[in-house]
Amino acid sequence: MCYEEPAYWAYGVFHVPDAAGRLPCGDEEHDRRFDVSSLVVRPVPAPGSPAWTLTE
């Protein structure tokens, strides 16, 4: 992840894959078929989840 642009990794972190299990990858040619505005945003992790690294 550290060497790739955010467009490569961020879609998988923030969005659910489409019905075919695909997400945009940051490649212009590949991503032409994606309507990013139609992607479903992943839900926020539950309070107390290990995903939260900062305390409230």
Side-chain angles (χ1 to χ4, degrees):
M1 261 184 4
C2 297
Y3 298 102
E4 299 293 342
E5 295 291 324
Y8 176 81
W9 60 264
Y11 286 117
V13 172
F14 295 109
H15 296 93
V16 177
D18 67 7
R22 299 171 304 186
L23 287 167
C25 66
D27 179 89
E28 287 184 28
E29 192 67 34
H30 177 265
D31 291 349
R32 286 184 191 183
R33 60 186 143 177
F34 285 99
D35 176 9
V36 178
S37 67
S38 70
L39 292 173
V40 176
V41 177
R42 290 185 186 274
V44 175
S49 164
W52 296 109
T53 58
L54 301 175
T55 57
E56 288 190 47

